[in-house]
Amino acid sequence: MKFLIINGPNINFLGIREPGIYGRTTYADLCGLLQGWCADAGVECELFQSNHEGAIVDRIQQAYFDKVDGIVMNPAAYTHTSVAILDALKATAIPTVEVHISDVSKREAFRQHSYVSLAARRTIVGHGIDGYREGIEWLAAELKQAG
Ligand code: DQA
């Protein structure tokens, strides 16, 4: 089974950006953790981060041709704005889990709406970096059960 882990804009600044909200784990640390969690769940994984909406759309489309089984995604700020990313997820129909490090439901009003949630099988918010682990484990179990 093959997963694609997508991180959106400014996630490459983890550990630097607003540590009170996003913690001190760096993006490099996160990549190591993601690889370990995927290995533990018995899934192959590819990591992708971009600050560009179109590049994320392109990567989701590529995942269709690469026969990716699942996507775990923190769309970051594009969560709240991107119909294009929502449409790409719907177009490819790849089972997706949405992850947010912070609890977006308790933050500014503009963070309370997610386009990506309309295509995601599950949304995990406010569990910090561990939310990615939960997302990987949940999606692997879900897809294994579905056969
Ligand atoms: C975020 C929440 C978003 O609102 C924000 O724009 C981010 C990160 C999170 O992981 O908590 O960049 O997706």
Side-chain angles (χ1 to χ4, degrees):
M1 202 184 300
K2 193 157 62 175
F3 282 7
L4 171 64
I5 320 279
I6 301 177
N7 278 292
N10 301 303
I11 300 297
N12 56 322
F13 258 54
L14 275 186
I16 302 166
R17 74 182 292 211
E18 303 177 89
I21 297 175
Y22 299 111
R24 298 248 170 228
T25 304
T26 66
Y27 180 65
D29 295 337
L30 175 63
C31 288
L33 290 166
L34 292 170
Q35 271 156 345
W37 291 329
C38 282
D40 291 347
V43 300
E44 214 182 292
C45 86
E46 196 165 319
L47 308 179
F48 180 75
Q49 189 279 327
S50 179
N51 296 324
H52 305 276
E53 183 176 19
I56 294 170
V57 171
D58 286 345
R59 194 63 194 80
I60 293 168
Q61 291 184 359
Q62 187 57 46
Y64 174 82
F65 297 111
D66 292 347
K67 301 198 182 329
V68 164
D69 300 290
I71 293 176
V72 174
M73 172 171 209
N74 182 349
Y78 289 139
T79 306
H80 318 297
T81 62
S82 183
V83 177
I85 290 174
L86 167 64
D87 283 349
L89 293 172
K90 283 185 158 181
T92 57
I94 299 170
T96 297
V97 172
E98 174 187 7
V99 175
H100 298 285
I101 297 164
S102 67
D103 186 351
V104 281
S105 70
K106 301 211 169 79
R107 298 182 63 194
E108 300 95 322
F110 65 84
R111 293 187 207 274
Q112 318 257 323
H113 177 261
S114 166
Y115 284 102
V116 169
S117 287
L118 299 172
R121 291 204 183 183
R122 201 179 151 191
T123 298
I124 297 167
V125 302
H127 294 180
I129 293 298
D130 210 47
Y132 292 89
R133 184 186 57 72
E134 287 174 42
I136 291 164
E137 286 176 0
W138 184 85
L139 192 57
E142 186 82 351
L143 296 180
K144 272 174 198 160
Q145 197 186 2

mmCIF file of all heavy atoms in Angstrom, residues 10-41:
data_model
loop_
_atom_site.group_PDB
_atom_site.id
_atom_site.type_symbol
_atom_site.label_atom_id
_atom_site.label_comp_id
_atom_site.label_asym_id
_atom_site.label_seq_id
_atom_site.Cartn_x
_atom_site.Cartn_y
_atom_site.Cartn_z
ATOM 1 N N ASN A 10 4.023 26.930 4.262
ATOM 2 C CA ASN A 10 4.626 27.293 5.551
ATOM 3 C C ASN A 10 4.858 26.120 6.500
ATOM 4 O O ASN A 10 5.403 26.305 7.581
ATOM 5 C CB ASN A 10 3.801 28.396 6.271
ATOM 6 C CG ASN A 10 3.703 29.649 5.429
ATOM 7 O OD1 ASN A 10 4.722 30.210 5.048
ATOM 8 N ND2 ASN A 10 2.492 30.079 5.094
ATOM 9 N N ILE A 11 4.469 24.924 6.079
ATOM 10 C CA ILE A 11 4.750 23.763 6.934
ATOM 11 C C ILE A 11 6.265 23.483 6.914
ATOM 12 O O ILE A 11 6.815 22.937 7.862
ATOM 13 C CB ILE A 11 3.916 22.529 6.503
ATOM 14 C CG1 ILE A 11 2.411 22.835 6.600
ATOM 15 C CG2 ILE A 11 4.259 21.309 7.366
ATOM 16 C CD1 ILE A 11 1.862 23.155 7.967
ATOM 17 N N ASN A 12 6.945 23.912 5.846
ATOM 18 C CA ASN A 12 8.415 23.801 5.832
ATOM 19 C C ASN A 12 9.059 24.707 6.880
ATOM 20 O O ASN A 12 10.235 24.568 7.176
ATOM 21 C CB ASN A 12 8.973 24.125 4.427
ATOM 22 C CG ASN A 12 8.552 25.488 3.934
ATOM 23 O OD1 ASN A 12 7.424 25.928 4.166
ATOM 24 N ND2 ASN A 12 9.437 26.193 3.254
ATOM 25 N N PHE A 13 8.285 25.606 7.471
ATOM 26 C CA PHE A 13 8.788 26.500 8.521
ATOM 27 C C PHE A 13 8.439 25.998 9.926
ATOM 28 O O PHE A 13 8.570 26.747 10.899
ATOM 29 C CB PHE A 13 8.258 27.921 8.308
ATOM 30 C CG PHE A 13 9.288 28.837 7.700
ATOM 31 C CD1 PHE A 13 9.931 28.497 6.526
ATOM 32 C CD2 PHE A 13 9.632 30.040 8.315
ATOM 33 C CE1 PHE A 13 10.895 29.327 5.962
ATOM 34 C CE2 PHE A 13 10.595 30.879 7.766
ATOM 35 C CZ PHE A 13 11.230 30.512 6.590
ATOM 36 N N LEU A 14 7.998 24.753 10.023
ATOM 37 C CA LEU A 14 7.709 24.191 11.358
ATOM 38 C C LEU A 14 8.960 24.297 12.229
ATOM 39 O O LEU A 14 10.082 24.085 11.747
ATOM 40 C CB LEU A 14 7.321 22.715 11.256
ATOM 41 C CG LEU A 14 5.876 22.368 10.957
ATOM 42 C CD1 LEU A 14 5.710 20.854 11.053
ATOM 43 C CD2 LEU A 14 4.915 23.070 11.888
ATOM 44 N N GLY A 15 8.751 24.586 13.492
ATOM 45 C CA GLY A 15 9.880 24.735 14.416
ATOM 46 C C GLY A 15 10.346 26.180 14.478
ATOM 47 O O GLY A 15 10.939 26.604 15.473
ATOM 48 N N ILE A 16 10.056 26.941 13.405
ATOM 49 C CA ILE A 16 10.420 28.359 13.346
ATOM 50 C C ILE A 16 9.155 29.193 13.519
ATOM 51 O O ILE A 16 9.102 30.125 14.298
ATOM 52 C CB ILE A 16 11.070 28.703 11.986
ATOM 53 C CG1 ILE A 16 12.313 27.850 11.746
ATOM 54 C CG2 ILE A 16 11.389 30.208 11.896
ATOM 55 C CD1 ILE A 16 12.819 27.890 10.304
ATOM 56 N N ARG A 17 8.093 28.781 12.792
ATOM 57 C CA ARG A 17 6.860 29.579 12.788
ATOM 58 C C ARG A 17 6.055 29.357 14.070
ATOM 59 O O ARG A 17 5.827 28.227 14.488
ATOM 60 C CB ARG A 17 6.005 29.241 11.554
ATOM 61 C CG ARG A 17 5.297 27.909 11.623
ATOM 62 C CD ARG A 17 4.489 27.563 10.396
ATOM 63 N NE ARG A 17 3.323 28.384 10.182
ATOM 64 C CZ ARG A 17 2.202 27.948 9.602
ATOM 65 N NH1 ARG A 17 2.100 26.696 9.170
ATOM 66 N NH2 ARG A 17 1.196 28.753 9.437
ATOM 67 N N GLU A 18 5.645 30.449 14.676
ATOM 68 C CA GLU A 18 4.728 30.441 15.823
ATOM 69 C C GLU A 18 4.815 29.152 16.657
ATOM 70 O O GLU A 18 3.845 28.387 16.723
ATOM 71 C CB GLU A 18 3.291 30.629 15.307
ATOM 72 C CG GLU A 18 3.127 31.901 14.492
ATOM 73 C CD GLU A 18 1.718 32.046 13.929
ATOM 74 O OE1 GLU A 18 0.872 32.624 14.617
ATOM 75 O OE2 GLU A 18 1.480 31.562 12.792
ATOM 76 N N PRO A 19 5.942 28.939 17.346
ATOM 77 C CA PRO A 19 6.100 27.681 18.098
ATOM 78 C C PRO A 19 5.044 27.481 19.181
ATOM 79 O O PRO A 19 4.736 26.337 19.542
ATOM 80 C CB PRO A 19 7.507 27.765 18.687
ATOM 81 C CG PRO A 19 7.958 29.173 18.476
ATOM 82 C CD PRO A 19 7.156 29.773 17.382
ATOM 83 N N GLY A 20 4.468 28.585 19.667
ATOM 84 C CA GLY A 20 3.403 28.467 20.678
ATOM 85 C C GLY A 20 2.172 27.770 20.115
ATOM 86 O O GLY A 20 1.379 27.181 20.857
ATOM 87 N N ILE A 21 2.002 27.857 18.795
ATOM 88 C CA ILE A 21 0.844 27.219 18.151
ATOM 89 C C ILE A 21 1.240 25.878 17.533
ATOM 90 O O ILE A 21 0.526 24.879 17.665
ATOM 91 C CB ILE A 21 0.257 28.139 17.046
ATOM 92 C CG1 ILE A 21 -0.267 29.446 17.669
ATOM 93 C CG2 ILE A 21 -0.848 27.422 16.263
ATOM 94 C CD1 ILE A 21 -0.753 30.477 16.652
ATOM 95 N N TYR A 22 2.393 25.868 16.836
ATOM 96 C CA TYR A 22 2.741 24.691 16.035
ATOM 97 C C TYR A 22 3.848 23.818 16.637
ATOM 98 O O TYR A 22 4.167 22.768 16.089
ATOM 99 C CB TYR A 22 3.147 25.137 14.618
ATOM 100 C CG TYR A 22 2.029 25.852 13.893
ATOM 101 C CD1 TYR A 22 2.102 27.222 13.601
ATOM 102 C CD2 TYR A 22 0.876 25.163 13.522
ATOM 103 C CE1 TYR A 22 1.063 27.875 12.949
ATOM 104 C CE2 TYR A 22 -0.168 25.813 12.881
ATOM 105 C CZ TYR A 22 -0.061 27.169 12.591
ATOM 106 O OH TYR A 22 -1.103 27.798 11.949
ATOM 107 N N GLY A 23 4.418 24.274 17.765
ATOM 108 C CA GLY A 23 5.443 23.469 18.434
ATOM 109 C C GLY A 23 6.840 23.683 17.884
ATOM 110 O O GLY A 23 7.066 24.539 17.021
ATOM 111 N N ARG A 24 7.782 22.908 18.400
ATOM 112 C CA ARG A 24 9.206 23.095 18.078
ATOM 113 C C ARG A 24 9.734 22.034 17.111
ATOM 114 O O ARG A 24 10.894 22.068 16.714
ATOM 115 C CB ARG A 24 10.044 23.034 19.361
ATOM 116 C CG ARG A 24 9.695 24.125 20.355
ATOM 117 C CD ARG A 24 10.835 25.134 20.514
ATOM 118 N NE ARG A 24 10.388 26.286 21.296
ATOM 119 C CZ ARG A 24 10.588 27.544 20.946
ATOM 120 N NH1 ARG A 24 11.225 27.844 19.830
ATOM 121 N NH2 ARG A 24 10.155 28.524 21.705
ATOM 122 N N THR A 25 8.905 21.076 16.766
ATOM 123 C CA THR A 25 9.338 20.049 15.810
ATOM 124 C C THR A 25 9.584 20.705 14.461
ATOM 125 O O THR A 25 8.727 21.446 13.975
ATOM 126 C CB THR A 25 8.237 18.972 15.667
ATOM 127 O OG1 THR A 25 7.944 18.454 16.961
ATOM 128 C CG2 THR A 25 8.669 17.830 14.758
ATOM 129 N N THR A 26 10.729 20.454 13.860
ATOM 130 C CA THR A 26 11.022 21.056 12.555
ATOM 131 C C THR A 26 10.410 20.205 11.440
ATOM 132 O O THR A 26 10.023 19.050 11.667
ATOM 133 C CB THR A 26 12.541 21.146 12.302
ATOM 134 O OG1 THR A 26 13.058 19.810 12.203
ATOM 135 C CG2 THR A 26 13.258 21.890 13.420
ATOM 136 N N TYR A 27 10.381 20.771 10.235
ATOM 137 C CA TYR A 27 9.848 20.000 9.115
ATOM 138 C C TYR A 27 10.729 18.767 8.847
ATOM 139 O O TYR A 27 10.212 17.686 8.556
ATOM 140 C CB TYR A 27 9.711 20.861 7.857
ATOM 141 C CG TYR A 27 9.152 20.044 6.710
ATOM 142 C CD1 TYR A 27 7.850 19.530 6.766
ATOM 143 C CD2 TYR A 27 9.926 19.737 5.589
ATOM 144 C CE1 TYR A 27 7.339 18.738 5.736
ATOM 145 C CE2 TYR A 27 9.415 18.959 4.558
ATOM 146 C CZ TYR A 27 8.122 18.458 4.643
ATOM 147 O OH TYR A 27 7.621 17.674 3.629
ATOM 148 N N ALA A 28 12.045 18.939 9.004
ATOM 149 C CA ALA A 28 12.954 17.785 8.807
ATOM 150 C C ALA A 28 12.642 16.694 9.835
ATOM 151 O O ALA A 28 12.592 15.507 9.497
ATOM 152 C CB ALA A 28 14.406 18.227 8.921
ATOM 153 N N ASP A 29 12.404 17.102 11.090
ATOM 154 C CA ASP A 29 12.027 16.128 12.129
ATOM 155 C C ASP A 29 10.730 15.427 11.734
ATOM 156 O O ASP A 29 10.589 14.214 11.857
ATOM 157 C CB ASP A 29 11.760 16.807 13.487
ATOM 158 C CG ASP A 29 12.988 17.452 14.106
ATOM 159 O OD1 ASP A 29 14.107 17.033 13.762
ATOM 160 O OD2 ASP A 29 12.816 18.383 14.931
ATOM 161 N N LEU A 30 9.768 16.246 11.274
ATOM 162 C CA LEU A 30 8.454 15.697 10.897
ATOM 163 C C LEU A 30 8.616 14.638 9.798
ATOM 164 O O LEU A 30 7.995 13.577 9.871
ATOM 165 C CB LEU A 30 7.516 16.821 10.437
ATOM 166 C CG LEU A 30 6.146 16.357 9.909
ATOM 167 C CD1 LEU A 30 5.328 15.658 10.995
ATOM 168 C CD2 LEU A 30 5.346 17.535 9.329
ATOM 169 N N CYS A 31 9.462 14.933 8.810
ATOM 170 C CA CYS A 31 9.655 13.979 7.705
ATOM 171 C C CYS A 31 10.162 12.637 8.231
ATOM 172 O O CYS A 31 9.688 11.580 7.804
ATOM 173 C CB CYS A 31 10.625 14.547 6.668
ATOM 174 S SG CYS A 31 9.892 15.886 5.720
ATOM 175 N N GLY A 32 11.099 12.684 9.175
ATOM 176 C CA GLY A 32 11.622 11.448 9.766
ATOM 177 C C GLY A 32 10.512 10.687 10.487
ATOM 178 O O GLY A 32 10.394 9.459 10.351
ATOM 179 N N LEU A 33 9.698 11.425 11.251
ATOM 180 C CA LEU A 33 8.598 10.785 11.983
ATOM 181 C C LEU A 33 7.592 10.161 11.021
ATOM 182 O O LEU A 33 7.142 9.027 11.224
ATOM 183 C CB LEU A 33 7.890 11.817 12.878
ATOM 184 C CG LEU A 33 8.705 12.307 14.082
ATOM 185 C CD1 LEU A 33 8.067 13.553 14.703
ATOM 186 C CD2 LEU A 33 8.828 11.196 15.126
ATOM 187 N N LEU A 34 7.253 10.894 9.963
ATOM 188 C CA LEU A 34 6.261 10.399 8.997
ATOM 189 C C LEU A 34 6.732 9.093 8.362
ATOM 190 O O LEU A 34 5.959 8.142 8.220
ATOM 191 C CB LEU A 34 5.998 11.454 7.910
ATOM 192 C CG LEU A 34 5.277 12.727 8.374
ATOM 193 C CD1 LEU A 34 5.295 13.788 7.274
ATOM 194 C CD2 LEU A 34 3.834 12.437 8.791
ATOM 195 N N GLN A 35 8.026 9.074 8.016
ATOM 196 C CA GLN A 35 8.558 7.851 7.399
ATOM 197 C C GLN A 35 8.479 6.663 8.358
ATOM 198 O O GLN A 35 8.103 5.555 7.971
ATOM 199 C CB GLN A 35 9.996 8.067 6.920
ATOM 200 C CG GLN A 35 9.997 8.590 5.494
ATOM 201 C CD GLN A 35 11.250 9.364 5.126
ATOM 202 O OE1 GLN A 35 12.028 9.764 5.991
ATOM 203 N NE2 GLN A 35 11.441 9.600 3.839
ATOM 204 N N GLY A 36 8.799 6.929 9.625
ATOM 205 C CA GLY A 36 8.736 5.868 10.641
ATOM 206 C C GLY A 36 7.305 5.396 10.861
ATOM 207 O O GLY A 36 7.049 4.188 10.952
ATOM 208 N N TRP A 37 6.367 6.340 10.929
ATOM 209 C CA TRP A 37 4.965 5.961 11.185
ATOM 210 C C TRP A 37 4.394 5.166 10.007
ATOM 211 O O TRP A 37 3.631 4.230 10.211
ATOM 212 C CB TRP A 37 4.116 7.208 11.462
ATOM 213 C CG TRP A 37 4.448 7.857 12.779
ATOM 214 C CD1 TRP A 37 4.897 7.235 13.914
ATOM 215 C CD2 TRP A 37 4.367 9.261 13.095
ATOM 216 N NE1 TRP A 37 5.094 8.167 14.913
ATOM 217 C CE2 TRP A 37 4.780 9.401 14.438
ATOM 218 C CE3 TRP A 37 3.982 10.394 12.380
ATOM 219 C CZ2 TRP A 37 4.819 10.648 15.080
ATOM 220 C CZ3 TRP A 37 4.011 11.632 13.014
ATOM 221 C CH2 TRP A 37 4.434 11.765 14.346
ATOM 222 N N CYS A 38 4.781 5.549 8.803
ATOM 223 C CA CYS A 38 4.309 4.790 7.635
ATOM 224 C C CYS A 38 4.899 3.381 7.659
ATOM 225 O O CYS A 38 4.178 2.399 7.433
ATOM 226 C CB CYS A 38 4.685 5.501 6.333
ATOM 227 S SG CYS A 38 3.608 6.893 5.967
ATOM 228 N N ALA A 39 6.190 3.285 7.971
ATOM 229 C CA ALA A 39 6.825 1.957 8.039
ATOM 230 C C ALA A 39 6.126 1.101 9.095
ATOM 231 O O ALA A 39 5.819 -0.073 8.849
ATOM 232 C CB ALA A 39 8.311 2.111 8.351
ATOM 233 N N ASP A 40 5.843 1.685 10.259
ATOM 234 C CA ASP A 40 5.158 0.940 11.338
ATOM 235 C C ASP A 40 3.783 0.454 10.884
ATOM 236 O O ASP A 40 3.316 -0.600 11.306
ATOM 237 C CB ASP A 40 4.966 1.818 12.583
ATOM 238 C CG ASP A 40 6.284 2.137 13.274
ATOM 239 O OD1 ASP A 40 7.299 1.483 12.950
ATOM 240 O OD2 ASP A 40 6.298 3.058 14.120
ATOM 241 N N ALA A 41 3.121 1.267 10.046
ATOM 242 C CA ALA A 41 1.771 0.908 9.576
ATOM 243 C C ALA A 41 1.845 -0.025 8.355
ATOM 244 O O ALA A 41 0.815 -0.411 7.807
ATOM 245 C CB ALA A 41 0.981 2.174 9.237
#
